[in-house]
Structures are given as C-alpha cells and as structure tokens.
Amino acid sequence: MTTRLTVLATGGTIAGIAGNAIAQDYRAGEIGIEDYLERVGGLGLEAELSGRQIANIDSADIGPQVWNSLHRAIVEALQDQECSGVIVTHGTDTLEETAFLLDLTLPSTKPVVVVGAMRPADAVGYDGLRNFANAVRVGCDANAAGRGVLVVMGDRVFSARDVRKVRTRGAEAFRGFPRESIALVTPSTLEWFGAPWNDRDAARFAWSDDLPPVEIVYVHAALEADAVTRQLGEGTRGVVVAGVGEGNMPEDVRTVLAQCAADGIAVVRASRADEGLVDREPEDDANGFVAARALNPQKARILLQLLLAGGETDPAALQRAFDGR
Ligand code: SIN
C-alpha cells in the first residue's frame, strides 16, 4: 500500500538560498513547496508526497498567526483517511517551540515529523535533502505514531519535549535533554530505542488561537529588580524566569516576582543552563512559584501559555502540569 504524507512548509534554511555554494549569508524561506517537492522527487522516496505552503519565512518571525494556520492544516491532514502522516518543514531557530506546541495540542495517532536544515539548499553540503529523506523514512513508519511530535535532524530522531538547538553551526546542531535521541535514522533505515510511550488519541491541551502574554526574564549577574519591573507590561499573565543554576535569581528580583505571583501572575522558575533541571525549593510554596523541571525557558513559556489559555492559574495545578512533562 502506498504511504501518503502531507508536507506543510513554513520556510527556514531548509528552503533557503544563498546564490553561491560557499557563501555565508543567505535568505531563509525562498524555495516554494512545489519547487521543493520537485527537488526531492528524484530521490526515490518511498512515500507519495503532497504539499502545502503555510508560510515561507525565517523562523524568528514565527508566532501565533502561523501556528494557527499550521495547526489547522495538520488537523485537517490527520483527519484525511488517505493521509498516513505529516511532515512540517521549519527553520531551525524556533523549531523546538513549534514542535513542542504541536506535541501538546495534537493527537498522537499518526506520525507528525518536524524537520529543518542548517545549510541553504544551494550550499555545498546541504543537509536539507538528507534530513527530509530521513523525515520521510520516519513518517512512513507505523511505529512513529504514539511517540508524540518528532523532530528529525542530523540522522537522529528526537521527541519534541526533549529537543533543543544547541549549536549555530554544523549539521549536528540538535540534542535531546533529558532524553537524548530516541531513534537513529537514514533514508533507508530506522532504529527506535524503546517502544512508543504515549499512545493517545486525543490532544493533551485544547488549541488556543489566543495565547496569553507570557514574558521570559533572563537572569544574569547584577540583574536589577527595576529592569524586571520595566520588562513586565500591564497585560502580562505569566513570567518564566530563565534563572541562573537551578532557577535562581537575585533576592530583589525574587521579591518583585513573589509580589507578581501574589497579584495573580503565574511565575515559573526555569534555568538558563543548557541542561537545566529545576526542582521545587522550600520557598516556592510561600512565593507562589512553579518549578519548570526539565523544560527550558522557551518551552516552559509555551506550556504556561496553554495552561493559562485553558483558565488554569492555581500554582499547585500549574506545578502538576509541569511535573507531568
Ligand atoms: C530559521 O530558523 O528560519 C533560520 C535558521 C535555520 O533554519 O537554520
């Protein structure tokens, strides 16, 4: 039986052009989906591909508007009996945020694979073709369902919860934390490390096209409380602290944020460290703070936005949701 995959394109370096095989500068989001499918048409991939352009932009510009269109298009594709899975092409800079948002809001009954590239399409050593061929290999595998949204980069498969971009150069730019990659993939082989774990046929969170404003406060030596107050505008509903070490911050900043929590603004402590794991500390109860556990600040922000959009503001309930990740 033919496997039919829907490819939803959003831009990024995978669709980027430099105009010169060795140039450093390039423009992300230049190749359209029809052109892209023609380019991969000669690879002999095992799936029948159909494509749709959702956006064609640098992923630094991705936000709620593109997320809404992308989510709607994926839901539509997954409901189509003929469609076995979805591949999303995406810039690598914010790929982890989009993948995690989709992971929290989509059912896990068919594979959804997000893929990008570190080098533009006309560069020597373009990694986009191989990553794309690998993504097709994953999308064709029935065992890819039930593992949540997957990210394919550098011959590895990561779960959306764990994946993070850790390098700005080279094709091996992604890692997983706390779990490393969950499979190794090439265009013709796929080896999973373990069985599917979350065979769910419903999304964990309802989709929201009105995500509430949540700020990330980046902590550094000598961060002043006034700078934090200036950053938090009138409408702020939540704050994620990219804290030093295990979600720590200067005492004056802690005082300001404890007051925010007392005023009903959700405050989540995450870590700015690459492999940050933030547990609850005894003062969190009195301060009304939530610990982000293994989520980095940008992913903690996505989860907090979904929780707030669903009407959840109680710190204990927020903590349970973060513990569940
Ligand atoms: C982007 O994220 O859109 C540009 C960088 C990349 O895709 O690697």
Side-chain angles (χ1 to χ4, degrees):
M1 201 182 84
T2 321
T3 304
R4 293 197 173 86
L5 300 178
T6 302
V7 183
L8 301 173
T10 67
T13 299
I14 192 166
I17 290 289
N20 175 331
I22 59 167
Q24 176 70 12
D25 292 334
Y26 65 93
R27 297 173 308 279
E30 288 285 309
I31 303 173
I33 183 63
E34 295 306 330
D35 186 359
Y36 198 81
L37 291 184
E38 234 175 272
R39 288 170 187 237
V40 299
L43 298 178
L45 301 174
E46 59 191 296
E48 196 175 288
L49 304 175
S50 62
R52 186 162 152 198
Q53 194 82 50
I54 301 298
N56 210 359
I57 56 177
D58 191 304
S59 76
D61 294 319
I62 291 229
Q65 207 183 337
V66 175
W67 284 336
N68 282 337
S69 312
L70 181 60
H71 190 268
R72 204 173 315 124
I74 298 176
V75 169
E76 244 170 59
L78 295 180
Q79 282 167 351
D80 180 352
Q81 302 285 328
E82 301 278 292
C83 169
S84 308
V86 173
I87 295 178
V88 177
T89 59
H90 199 289
T92 63
D93 287 349
T94 63
L95 185 150
E96 64 192 83
E97 282 147 274
T98 298
F100 188 52
L101 177 65
L102 296 175
D103 184 57
L104 293 171
T105 54
L106 287 172
S108 186
T109 45
K110 293 179 183 177
V112 176
V113 185
V114 189
V115 64
M118 291 296 288
R119 302 184 186 116
D122 53 352
V124 62
Y126 173 53
D127 51 330
L129 276 189
R130 186 173 180 94
N131 288 343
F132 188 85
N134 288 346
V136 170
R137 181 70 197 84
V138 174
C140 287
D141 191 302
N143 279 320
R147 298 175 193 266
V149 170
L150 300 168
V151 171
V152 169
M153 288 291 294
D155 284 1
R156 289 180 183 273
V157 184
F158 302 91
S159 95
R161 185 199 68 175
D162 303 320
V163 74
R164 42 188 75 186
K165 184 172 182 177
V166 294
R167 295 193 191 95
T168 56
R169 299 276 166 91
E172 307 285 323
F174 283 76
R175 285 207 55 194
F177 178 80
R179 266 177 319 179
E180 251 303 338
S181 51
I182 56 170
L184 287 179
V185 61
T186 72
S188 57
T189 64
L190 176 58
E191 191 185 343
W192 296 103
F193 312 140
W197 62 89
N198 68 358
D199 205 359
R200 58 191 153 90
D201 52 15
R204 292 193 197 98
F205 289 89
W207 181 254
S208 168
D209 51 15
D210 190 20
L211 292 172
V214 171
E215 297 291 326
I216 296 179
V217 169
Y218 195 93
V219 180
H220 51 84
L223 173 65
E224 290 184 358
D226 281 355
V228 175
T229 310
R230 280 197 299 276
Q231 188 188 340
L232 305 182
E234 278 287 293
T236 302
R237 299 272 316 280
V239 179
V240 174
V241 184
V244 290
E246 206 170 323
N248 296 319
M249 63 201 89
E251 220 31 66
D252 287 356
V253 172
R254 192 183 300 274
T255 303
V256 164
L257 292 177
Q259 185 57 52
C260 286
D263 294 342
I265 297 172
V267 179
V268 176
R269 293 189 304 109
S271 173
R272 69 177 199 178
D274 284 351
E275 298 193 348
L277 186 57
V278 176
D279 280 333
R280 284 189 72 73
E281 57 187 15
E283 304 76 48
D284 282 341
D285 286 342
N287 290 332
F289 292 172
V290 174
R293 306 292 192 200
L295 292 182
N296 63 17
Q298 55 271 35
K299 284 190 189 163
R301 176 175 180 271
I302 298 278
L303 176 57
L304 183 56
Q305 284 184 300
L306 285 173
L307 286 160
L308 293 174
E312 193 55 82
T313 54
D314 171 42
L318 296 174
Q319 186 63 68
R320 281 194 293 280
F322 276 84
D323 292 348
R325 298 300 103 229

